[in-house]
Amino acid sequence: MPERSAFYQARQKYISHPLQGLGAYFLFGFFRIMPIDLASKIGGSLLRTIGPKLGQSKKARNNLVKAFPEKSAAEIETIITDMWENLGRSVAEIPHLPNLVCGSSRLEIVGLENGLVTKSDNKPGLFFTGHIGNWEVSTKIGDALDMDMMTIYRAPDNPWVDKLFKSVRRGFRGELVPKGSKGARKFASFLKRGGHAAMLVDQKLNNGIAVPFFGRDAMTAPALAQFALRYECPVIPIRVERLKGAYFRMTFYPDIQISKTDDPKADTLRIMTDVNAIMESWIRERPAQWLWLHKRWPN
């Protein structure tokens, strides 16, 4: 078994990862040489055609049936198809992210004053969003607020792909920190020094806490609430919406109420219940713009 494991690791490192990386670089270059509108349209059309035929669509279908039991099978299939288009557009738009200008017609900013209150309150600040619209646009939060913004992200298993994604974010305000114990320590240290940070909060965490989401418990990462309680800092929701094609709106909402009692577990659950309720309201408004491919609920 150890020999087989060593062989698998070597194959990943010297064959699979380089081949996947070359494919990613090719696609990146292919979409980068196009105007953003054309790249977005082609990426969306490709996945709109291919995506619904993939096995991953079964996971999306199961999630949608649980979240929207009142919707017909035809309505569910329409959401799945539109979701794949949104994902295809989002991938094809990644090479163009450095050129998105906050406050332009391409990237409308709403409620900026809600984010700016954290700039002069002498406290750290937390921002959260989810896999909605083109969530990669949320890496522009620091640019919009003109402040450094640390962001936790799940690093791709393939180091070639990880390097490619990091290259896109060069020049953005702030630092990317990979998920994990080392990243969490760095994140905590940054907040302790009064820094501002952003998190995606809508993925399943098996060892998280059970929090209501679309009427049933979903295992949810408690880190956002735990950091907010520890550093007594505001928590600001941020939503990125696709308006049409490759045009977006980033909305900063008023901070959610953080009240601390002598029961940290109850405090954490209360905060994450509010967070999930906000995420759910956004998803209900534009269900096709959420990534339904995560296994969000237990069977």
Side-chain angles (χ1 to χ4, degrees):
M1 288 296 290
E3 288 182 6
R4 185 177 178 183
S5 177
F7 172 75
Y8 175 79
Q9 291 176 4
R11 187 179 65 182
Q12 286 284 94
K13 183 176 181 179
Y14 297 111
I15 300 176
S16 300
H17 282 170
L19 287 175
Q20 292 166 4
L22 288 172
Y25 274 86
F26 171 79
L27 280 175
F28 184 89
F30 175 71
F31 287 122
R32 185 167 59 180
I33 63 174
M34 303 176 187
I36 184 173
D37 293 303
L38 180 59
S40 178
K41 184 177 180 180
I42 291 175
S45 296
L46 282 172
L47 277 195
R48 184 179 183 85
T49 302
I50 298 168
K53 301 180 177 72
L54 300 177
Q56 286 291 93
S57 288
K58 182 178 179 181
K59 193 180 295 181
R61 192 172 296 110
N62 290 338
N63 284 336
L64 280 159
V65 168
K66 290 174 182 175
F68 298 110
E70 74 282 4
K71 291 191 181 295
S72 68
E75 288 174 314
I76 295 292
E77 293 308 312
T78 297
I79 293 172
I80 290 172
T81 302
D82 291 345
M83 175 207 68
W84 280 111
E85 179 179 340
N86 180 69
L87 179 58
R89 284 181 176 274
S90 297
V91 171
E93 290 156 358
I94 288 173
H96 298 277
L97 289 181
N99 300 323
L100 287 183
V101 177
C102 295
S104 66
S105 61
R106 182 76 69 181
L107 179 51
E108 177 186 350
I109 306 294
V110 176
L112 187 63
E113 66 280 3
N114 293 319
L116 289 173
V117 296
T118 69
K119 200 170 182 178
S120 56
D121 62 0
N122 296 316
K123 291 181 179 179
L126 283 166
F127 299 80
F128 75 86
T129 189
H131 292 83
I132 298 176
N134 185 340
W135 54 92
E136 293 293 338
V137 174
S138 66
T139 55
K140 289 280 186 175
I141 294 172
D143 291 4
L145 296 172
D146 191 27
M147 66 168 71
D148 288 340
M149 185 72 53
M150 183 173 281
T151 305
I152 286 185
Y153 81 113
R154 186 190 180 284
D157 296 331
N158 189 326
W160 290 56
V161 177
D162 189 31
K163 185 177 179 181
L164 177 61
F165 275 83
K166 283 180 178 175
S167 72
V168 177
R169 296 178 174 98
R170 259 186 223 121
F172 291 9
R173 291 294 301 267
E175 181 182 359
L176 282 173
V177 176
K179 223 171 163 183
S181 57
K182 186 178 178 181
R185 288 194 296 271
K186 193 170 188 178
F187 196 80
S189 175
F190 184 68
L191 288 174
K192 189 175 181 179
R193 297 195 306 271
H196 297 80
M199 305 173 72
L200 290 165
V201 297
D202 56 343
Q203 286 184 301
K204 179 182 178 183
L205 182 68
N206 289 329
N207 60 347
I209 59 174
V211 182
F213 190 51
F214 282 90
R216 64 183 66 212
D217 283 347
M219 298 308 291
T220 301
L224 178 75
Q226 291 169 342
F227 282 128
L229 291 165
R230 184 185 307 171
Y231 299 108
E232 299 182 355
C233 59
V235 175
I236 297 172
I238 293 181
R239 178 186 189 183
V240 174
E241 299 169 84
R242 183 181 300 282
L243 301 178
K244 59 173 183 176
Y247 288 81
F248 310 95
R249 177 190 296 132
M250 183 189 294
T251 303
F252 292 78
Y253 291 88
D255 61 300
I256 64 176
Q257 294 298 310
I258 304 295
S259 54
K260 200 171 182 179
T261 71
D262 58 359
D263 189 343
K265 286 187 178 180
D267 294 342
T268 298
L269 177 60
R270 185 179 61 256
I271 293 168
M272 294 315 301
T273 297
D274 290 343
V275 168
N276 274 9
I278 290 168
M279 295 294 306
E280 180 179 330
S281 70
W282 295 346
I283 296 165
R284 285 187 179 277
E285 283 183 34
R286 294 177 179 265
Q289 291 198 18
W290 192 51
L291 190 64
W292 291 93
L293 302 176
H294 301 140
K295 192 176 181 182
R296 195 66 185 89
W297 295 274
N299 293 328

